[in-house]
Amino acid sequence: MLVNATPSINTRRTLQIQDVGMVFPTKRGPFVALRDINLEVQRGEFVTLIGHSGCGKSTLLNLVAGLTTPSSGIMLLQERELTGPGPDRGVVFQNHSLLPWLSCLDNVLLAVERVFSEKEGKAQLRERALAALDLVGMSHAVAKRPHEISGGMKQRVGIARALAMEPKMLLMDEPFGALDALTRARLQDELMKIVATTGATVMMVTHDVDEAVLLSDRIVMMTNGPAATIGEVLRVDLPRPRVRVALAENRDYVQYRKEVIDFLYTRHSHVEKAA
Amino acid sequence: MGRALLDTPRDVAPPADTPPVRRATVVAVSTAATPAPAPREPFDWRGLGARVLPPLGGVALLIAVWALATQKSVSFPTPLATFDAAVKLFSDPFYSNGPNDQGIGWNILFSLQRVGLGFGLAALVGIPLGFIIGRFTLFNRMLSPLISLLKPVSPLAWLPIGLLVFKSANPAAIWTIFICSIWPMVINTAVGVQKVPEDYLNVARVLKLSEWKIATRILLPSVMPYMLTGVRLSVGTAWLVIVAAEMLTGGVGIGFWVWDEWNNLNVAHIIIAIFVIGAVGLLLEWSLLAVARRFDYN
């Protein structure tokens, strides 16, 4: 019941980014963070943004989230121009950002109420929140406060909060970056399942090559900043469902991985700022 | 504003790491209790002694020094004489022989009433003002210098203004309480609002919550611990100020009572009053701490 239940292979565009640039004013004059960004994301597609730190991948995600306004260019979400933040995009923050004074259920309810309270009664809203928590395997902790659960669980609740709004797109800013390797792997697997069942359209920022190849339909590789832009886009044609263990020896997987590493470390290796 | 905060002791404020001692003891007790249900654990007399004896020792030391120092004194009462006077005093705390001779209970209640009024008004004005200052940079810039200027002014300097404006002693005392206890609440609330983590506000922005929901679901809970620290400091200040204010304004009240007993040269009563004022202050502090703990979301 969350998002569009049919994992359709509909090629309709969900997101269009056209000639977007971002310039931040600083004391030393304007700083060009992003330039000439052009990207389309199809419905049901999983796109990751990868690049070295400071390449503006998070800036790009924040632009799509509406937390910052682009200096130039336009963005369309299902053919409508994006002018600010809104619940049609579910954002999962790196540090979960759950409100510590609300239980897991209430954290999700806060988002659900925002979107559906005009049409639905209290019981239905609660039902939605519970369903979202169930989807991420957190039914056992609905009444717990965020500080009572582990980092991985918090991130699950964060995902539940974002998904419960039935957004047109899920935006994830290094959602697993702060987790240990084992927890991260488990959450990646579950995210793949969730995306498979909900057919969600996802844009995710990461700096983890394996994560990008494992999860993505396309990997958007960004050049180094300042004035970063999209360097290459790699289509990952691995069949789903993808199984981590099997992929480790899959020749295509190794090849995709190599291409990303090649881009990041050979062609656009991170140059530490010389004086 | 941030600088102003440094002046106020932040003994409870930051929401993150509040109760190290208390929690630790609770945990220790529960883990000790759970594993062995069959043989009952012997009562921890040593632990109790270690916690109760030192404070008692401190009090005993004070009384001993006091007794020694007043052994040969004529004007300063001994602990025993003070105790006798206290027993007599508290045997009838609510008598009333006209406006200048009332039981100590009445005096305390009248003082508490003034404090309640002055402090309540200060909370009513100070907390919203703190929210405004914290949320809007313009108001912050406008009011911060004024607050910095007025905050260190001694309470009694405000009293003549009150007398002038209200032409009466009682409102003037309340006014003095009000103006002195408002600053900690304004400052702590404002700092609390400024320290609402950016992440939470981002949540509000991506969800596009209404201003009402932002205020009730994000700002208020997040600011609450800071606000309560302000309230606690304010009540402390108010209780400090009332004694001084009542000495000058007169009327029924513990401050005036102290002054009255000084005029009667009844030093034992003054010493009793000091203990009573301290005890009431402590009770106010404790009750607000209890409230603060209830609202601590950690």
Side-chain angles (χ1 to χ4, degrees):
Chain A
M1 61 175 286
L2 290 143
V3 193
N4 310 314
T6 46
S8 62
I9 318 164
N10 192 331
T11 49
R12 262 188 56 202
R13 290 176 296 203
T14 293
L15 178 75
Q16 283 172 273
I17 302 176
Q18 294 172 349
D19 298 319
V20 161
M22 185 70 214
V23 181
F24 291 107
T26 66
K27 279 174 196 159
R28 290 196 215 150
F31 171 79
V32 182
L34 293 172
R35 63 176 172 86
D36 307 328
I37 302 285
N38 283 289
L39 184 67
E40 282 190 6
V41 179
Q42 313 299 328
R43 183 196 285 175
E45 202 178 16
F46 199 121
V47 173
T48 50
L49 307 175
I50 197 166
H52 292 286
S53 58
C55 74
K57 52 194 193 295
S58 287
T59 307
L60 181 54
L61 196 85
N62 283 345
L63 287 175
V64 179
L67 288 171
T68 37
T69 322
S71 316
S72 56
I74 43 170
M75 294 179 293
L76 303 173
L77 184 67
Q78 290 190 350
E79 313 301 327
R80 296 179 75 177
E81 190 172 354
L82 286 179
T83 50
D88 52 357
R89 284 143 289 157
V91 183
V92 179
F93 299 91
Q94 175 170 13
N95 49 2
H96 68 78
S97 296
L98 300 176
L99 302 176
W101 45 84
L102 297 181
S103 68
C104 293
L105 179 66
D106 286 337
N107 263 292
V108 179
L109 258 180
L110 188 67
V112 172
E113 280 171 358
R114 171 63 186 82
V115 183
F116 300 105
S117 65
E118 279 171 21
K119 285 172 268 168
E120 298 181 9
K122 276 217 166 128
Q124 271 173 300
L125 297 174
R126 207 182 134 82
E127 205 57 41
R128 276 181 183 276
L130 286 172
L133 283 165
D134 188 45
L135 185 73
V136 298
M138 286 298 294
S139 296
H140 60 283
V142 286
K144 290 222 165 95
R145 299 275 187 90
H147 66 91
E148 295 173 299
I149 59 178
S150 69
M153 291 182 182
K154 282 180 209 165
Q155 211 48 274
R156 286 165 193 248
V157 178
I159 293 170
R161 175 173 66 185
L163 281 174
M165 300 187 293
E166 301 194 356
K168 293 173 182 149
M169 252 191 117
L170 198 57
L171 305 175
M172 310 177 92
D173 189 0
E174 296 189 26
F176 311 137
L179 304 176
D180 66 88
L182 293 176
T183 311
R184 187 187 315 169
R186 214 174 58 226
L187 278 176
Q188 287 165 351
D189 291 343
E190 296 205 11
L191 180 63
M192 282 194 288
K193 271 188 215 147
I194 291 167
V195 169
T197 47
T198 58
T201 311
V202 186
M203 184 186 249
M204 175 169 168
V205 166
T206 183
H207 51 230
D208 181 336
V209 176
D210 288 298
E211 183 169 271
V213 179
L214 179 69
L215 300 177
S216 307
D217 295 312
R218 279 190 298 153
I219 302 175
V220 175
M221 295 179 276
M222 301 193 56
T223 63
N224 288 323
T229 187
I230 294 171
E232 276 173 44
V233 179
L234 177 71
R235 185 170 290 283
V236 182
D237 273 323
L238 292 168
R240 292 179 188 270
R242 295 174 183 170
V243 182
R244 176 187 306 279
V245 183
L247 282 179
E249 292 173 3
N250 181 308
R251 207 181 281 167
D252 292 334
Y253 176 84
V254 175
Q255 182 59 35
Y256 289 129
R257 205 174 166 277
K258 189 169 171 299
E259 280 182 49
V260 179
I261 291 174
D262 191 41
F263 176 91
L264 289 176
Y265 298 105
T266 314
R267 278 172 287 158
H268 294 275
S269 69
H270 193 50
V271 190
E272 288 300 331
K273 252 182 210 152
Chain B
M1 196 91 283
R3 198 189 59 79
L5 173 78
L6 296 177
D7 306 343
T8 58
R10 291 252 312 272
D11 27 0
V12 108
D17 38 29
T18 6
V21 184
R22 242 176 159 268
R23 283 257 166 96
T25 55
V26 170
V27 170
V29 168
S30 62
T31 47
T34 36
R40 186 181 280 185
E41 293 235 340
F43 187 77
D44 188 9
W45 288 107
R46 291 184 105 204
L48 187 74
R51 258 176 299 149
V52 172
L53 287 182
L56 287 179
V59 174
L61 190 70
L62 173 72
I63 292 173
V65 170
W66 174 10
L68 277 174
T70 53
Q71 230 171 2
K72 289 181 193 128
S73 166
V74 214
S75 55
F76 207 95
T78 61
L80 205 63
T82 311
F83 184 74
D84 284 340
V87 169
K88 212 151 96 217
L89 196 63
F90 284 106
S91 63
D92 186 13
F94 290 106
Y95 73 86
S96 179
N97 299 335
N100 282 341
D101 186 13
Q102 304 207 17
I104 185 148
W106 285 125
N107 281 293
I108 294 169
L109 286 181
F110 272 93
S111 291
L112 279 174
Q113 187 202 24
R114 286 192 193 101
V115 165
L117 269 171
F119 163 79
L121 288 172
L124 230 53
V125 177
I127 289 171
L129 192 63
F131 266 96
I132 291 168
I133 290 175
R135 196 111 167 90
F136 305 105
T137 324
L138 173 72
F139 287 94
N140 186 4
R141 293 196 181 138
M142 231 164 82
L143 299 175
S144 279
L146 285 180
I147 292 172
S148 305
L149 179 79
L150 297 181
K151 191 169 67 94
V153 173
S154 160
L156 300 182
W158 293 106
L159 192 59
I161 306 283
L163 287 169
L164 178 77
V165 173
F166 299 107
K167 312 242 183 306
S168 161
N170 201 36
I174 292 167
W175 149 259
T176 309
I177 302 281
F178 167 84
I179 198 76
C180 290
S181 60
I182 196 171
W183 309 122
M185 286 192 277
V186 174
I187 291 164
N188 277 280
T189 308
V191 169
V193 173
Q194 284 165 349
K195 290 224 171 132
V196 173
E198 193 63 32
D199 293 337
Y200 302 159
L201 294 175
N202 273 342
V203 170
R205 289 179 66 200
V206 296
L207 295 182
K208 259 197 161 169
L209 296 179
S210 62
E211 272 296 322
W212 172 248
K213 278 243 156 131
I214 292 177
T216 54
R217 293 298 188 85
I218 292 177
L219 284 186
L220 199 61
S222 178
V223 173
M224 194 62 103
Y226 290 89
M227 210 169 83
L228 284 169
T229 301
V231 167
R232 231 155 44 77
L233 293 170
S234 286
V235 164
T237 312
W239 191 241
L240 277 180
V241 169
I242 189 69
V243 176
E246 283 173 350
M247 279 186 179
L248 293 174
T249 59
V252 183
I254 193 78
F256 172 72
W257 192 74
V258 170
W259 198 246
D260 202 35
E261 296 300 322
W262 168 240
N263 287 333
N264 299 338
L265 277 179
N266 193 341
V267 182
H269 280 186
I270 295 176
I271 295 168
I272 293 165
I274 286 169
F275 279 112
V276 166
I277 292 166
V280 172
L282 206 60
L283 281 177
L284 287 175
E285 170 95 14
W286 278 350
S287 48
L288 281 169
L289 259 182
V291 175
R293 260 194 216 111
R294 266 193 64 98
F295 282 99
D296 191 355
Y297 49 80
N298 285 305

